[in-house]
Amino acid sequence: MKKYCFGADIGGTTVKLGLFDTEGNILDKWEIKTHTENEGSAILPDTAAAILAKMEERKLNPEEVAGIGVGVPGPVSIDGIVPHTANLGWGYKEVTKELSERTGLPCKAGNDANVAALGEMWMGGAKGHKDVLLLTLGTGVGGGIIVDGKILTGAHGAGGEIGHIHVEDQIEEHCGCGNQGCLEQFASATGIARLARAALAESEEPSILREGEVTAKAVFDALKEGDELAKRVVERFGRYLGTAISVMAGILDPEVIVIGGGVSKAGWILLDYIRRYYKPYAYKSSKETEFALAQLGNDAGIYGCAKLILD
């Protein structure tokens, strides 16, 4: 009888870990440092050791554990193979095979944004829905797609890479993916800050943003104070993101569009600016699609990882 499972959300700074029962209740959560040196060779051994230590601490019988779900920041094939990652130091890596060998438990892996979408569908902002589009707005822009309750992985494990949709020709800077003009360069936290710095440099207009560090949070805080320059920055952000989501919705026809990541802490005002540019361009059947804010925060990944292995 399986009673428990683990979720392991591997990020560039920390590995977030969670112990769940099979009903989706989180029993414990903790983090370990992600050691990316030496091509990330210690990441999976460290993760395995942390899980085995938790099993010993909790006196869990391996026969009671359904397995480990793993989220990885990059493309992941259906059989748990990662061809490369941008911030873990990995090249080709057989993630589930290695983790299973080190723990003796079944493992299943998915892209981190995809498993976050699965978590939000299971226990968060998309609960009760089976067709979900999730965007995570943080250092980059991640995307997770759920179709009929299942993650859309794609042929190369790269399904849901909405952050790398091309949205602008007139840009010289390169995105982290190597291309130019990606959505991520305008709609991520770093992209919003870049838009704000450019707007400040283009004029001498008074703005709260001239008083301190220019961050995405500072932009939305200034917007809430009625700052006109911040308003124009957020309008531009909303145009890029709203129109990109309208394209995605025309392809996927989701029941709900969930916005998560650090930028989503701006709250409902964020959705107002996205919907302003989503609705005019969305296909008529998708114009009234529900928008929601993610509810699980940084725990969405471990919830999704747990659901991944339980499925």
Side-chain angles (χ1 to χ4, degrees), residues 196-214 222 227 229 232:
R197 286 192 295 270
L200 289 167
E202 287 168 3
S203 78
E204 296 181 358
E205 177 182 354
S207 172
I208 297 169
L209 295 172
R210 298 190 187 278
E211 298 171 8
E213 184 183 3
V214 179
D227 188 283
L229 188 142
R232 290 200 303 276

Side-chain angles (χ1 to χ4, degrees), residues 32-55:
I32 61 172
K33 181 175 172 54
T34 305
H35 290 285
T36 57
E37 59 272 17
N38 300 317
E39 298 181 341
S41 60
I43 296 173
L44 292 180
D46 288 351
T47 302
I51 289 169
L52 291 173
K54 186 62 65 176
M55 288 178 65

Side-chain angles (χ1 to χ4, degrees), residues 60-263:
L60 302 184
N61 186 326
E63 298 295 322
E64 299 177 308
V65 181
I68 307 164
V70 187
V72 178
V76 186
S77 70
I78 198 165
D79 51 359
I81 295 173
V82 174
H84 56 82
T85 61
N87 58 359
L88 298 183
W90 289 347
Y92 178 90
K93 180 74 74 173
E94 296 182 4
V95 175
T96 53
K97 182 173 183 278
E98 180 176 340
L99 199 55
S100 185
E101 288 174 350
R102 290 182 178 278
T103 60
L105 297 171
C107 297
K108 192 171 181 181
N111 169 268
D112 57 352
N114 284 339
V115 297
L118 195 62
E120 289 290 342
M121 181 198 77
W122 190 31
M123 292 289 175
K127 191 171 183 178
H129 299 289
K130 291 182 123 183
D131 293 276
V132 180
L133 172 61
L134 169 80
L135 289 94
T136 55
L137 311 180
T139 305
V141 174
I145 298 167
I146 307 295
V147 177
D148 195 24
K150 303 293 182 185
I151 289 174
L152 178 65
T153 302
H156 306 96
E161 288 290 353
I162 190 172
H164 301 291
I165 291 175
H166 182 83
V167 296
E168 178 62 77
D169 292 332
Q170 306 301 317
I171 181 169
E172 295 182 359
E173 296 95 336
H174 284 79
C175 177
C177 74
N179 290 336
Q180 294 165 286
C182 292
L183 178 65
E184 183 169 294
Q185 293 179 274
F186 302 95
S188 63
T190 49
I192 294 165
R194 187 181 63 79
L195 288 176
R197 286 192 295 270
L200 289 167
E202 287 168 3
S203 78
E204 296 181 358
E205 177 182 354
S207 172
I208 297 169
L209 295 172
R210 298 190 187 278
E211 298 171 8
E213 184 183 3
V214 179
T215 64
K217 181 181 184 301
V219 170
F220 279 98
D221 286 348
L223 172 68
K224 292 171 185 177
E225 293 291 325
D227 188 283
E228 287 298 319
L229 188 142
K231 181 179 178 182
R232 290 200 303 276
V233 170
V234 177
E235 286 275 2
R236 191 174 177 196
F237 151 83
R239 184 171 71 249
Y240 283 120
L241 189 55
T243 53
I245 294 173
S246 75
V247 173
M248 294 292 288
I251 298 166
L252 299 169
D253 189 22
E255 293 175 274
V256 62
I257 298 161
V258 182
I259 308 295
V263 176

